[in-house]
Amino acid sequence: VNAQLTDCLVAHWPLDEINGETTPDVVSGYDMTADNLTADNVVEGKYGNAISFSNAEQTLLWRKNEEGDDLPANQHDSFTISFWSKIQGNGQNDLRVFSESNTQGNNSPLFNIGTKNNGSDGTIDIYIRSIGGGPTVGHIFSTAEPFDDEWHHVVFVQNDLERSIYVDGELDDLEIGPKVEGDTAVDATTIGGILRGNASHWVTGLIDDVAIWKRALSADEVSALTSGGIPKGPLPERSFTWDFNDGLPEGSEVAGVS
């Protein structure tokens, strides 16, 4: 199962660093632009480092996707979104951890995973509007409460338009209406808030190890992802030519041998 986890992996933002004005995607080069974030916002995370977000500082990671990109995730009938977070949802009304939106003047299309709209507890609030031609999904809430100021793993899975959400590797009871086929009309992918004509709905807390697949992960894969994280890709192959005079491949070094 661990070996499968890199199949159809579109983007992985470890959130280990801020390089100037971006944080890197280590899979496809879909680096995120960092608004109001510096190296000072890089803190200890679930895996390596994480990024500390602040509503007061209006912090945001964002990317405007282009035609031909495998982002946004919502262009695919099947996709998976995964992240770790340490967020106190109680008192944070209707703020966004992950979002996809439209930056071209149409504020209606939204795909949001965030804190409860009235900020009364640590449940996940799912709000989806004008993604395809279906009815609005929202505000609906998970049974689990992962936004309790401890590290928790959240995975959203869309499998051939059918939607579900996992918390800490377990399928949540929340029933999410299926996506209707049609134009998603979103072009931006964001972490820590929404970007439309302007940025908004900034969340406060720590977010780590965000990833997107253009397929639906199975329950076993979600469990493996929760327990072990995203496996690193294979090391690049090295080719050697052999010099049979000394028995060592050219390009290799052995201590004490000349």
Side-chain angles (χ1 to χ4, degrees):
V1 173
N2 282 327
Q4 296 170 191
L5 283 174
T6 55
D7 292 347
C8 297
L9 180 60
V10 168
H12 177 203
W13 299 280
L15 305 189
D16 284 340
E17 57 186 333
I18 299 288
N19 294 328
E21 297 181 351
T22 65
T23 193
D25 162 36
V26 297
V27 174
S28 303
Y30 295 153
D31 297 353
M32 288 270 193
T33 298
D35 279 358
N36 303 318
L37 290 163
T38 69
D40 291 339
N41 296 92
V42 178
V43 299
E44 183 179 357
K46 178 65 180 181
Y47 291 103
N49 294 329
I51 291 181
S52 177
F53 292 80
S54 168
N55 178 277
E57 299 296 327
Q58 300 184 356
T59 52
L60 183 69
L61 292 173
W62 61 270
R63 185 177 193 275
K64 292 183 181 180
N65 305 300
E66 300 177 359
E67 186 175 352
D69 290 348
D70 276 325
L71 295 178
N74 275 277
Q75 70 181 281
H76 306 291
D77 288 346
S78 297
F79 65 86
T80 302
I81 298 164
S82 166
F83 62 83
W84 285 87
S85 65
K86 185 179 180 184
I87 291 170
Q88 176 57 266
N90 199 324
Q92 295 208 63
N93 299 23
D94 201 23
L95 303 180
R96 314 303 195 212
V97 181
F98 180 93
S99 185
E100 292 192 333
S101 54
N102 183 291
T103 63
Q104 306 301 315
N106 181 0
N107 285 340
S108 183
L110 283 175
F111 173 89
N112 293 318
I113 303 173
T115 62
K116 193 169 184 177
N117 61 334
N118 65 5
S120 62
D121 57 36
T123 57
I124 301 166
D125 186 327
I126 300 294
Y127 186 84
I128 305 171
R129 185 179 68 201
S130 299
I131 301 293
T136 296
V137 176
H139 294 272
I140 58 175
F141 315 110
S142 63
T143 299
E145 297 192 31
F147 300 141
D148 64 353
D149 206 25
E150 300 292 338
W151 282 110
H152 292 283
H153 188 217
V154 175
V155 179
F156 183 98
V157 177
Q158 181 169 294
N159 185 11
D160 195 19
L161 305 179
E162 297 293 329
R163 297 156 164 163
S164 56
I165 197 159
Y166 293 78
V167 176
D168 294 332
E170 299 293 330
L171 180 64
D172 195 81
D173 294 335
L174 178 63
E175 295 184 2
I176 309 171
K179 178 184 179 294
V180 176
E181 290 189 84
D183 183 12
T184 58
V186 292
D187 68 307
T189 301
T190 57
I191 300 168
I194 301 173
L195 180 64
R196 290 178 284 189
N198 296 296
S200 64
H201 293 74
W202 307 275
V203 77
T204 296
L206 308 185
I207 305 175
D208 195 9
D209 215 43
V210 182
I212 297 174
W213 290 255
K214 57 178 179 180
R215 67 178 179 92
L217 296 189
S218 69
D220 286 345
E221 288 176 312
V222 172
S223 178
L225 184 62
T226 300
S227 61
I230 300 171
K232 297 184 183 297
L235 293 174
E237 295 183 1
R238 295 184 65 191
S239 61
F240 295 114
T241 58
W242 289 86
D243 179 350
F244 290 98
N245 292 324
D246 60 17
L248 294 175
E250 293 181 3
S252 67
E253 296 180 358
V254 178
V257 176
S258 60

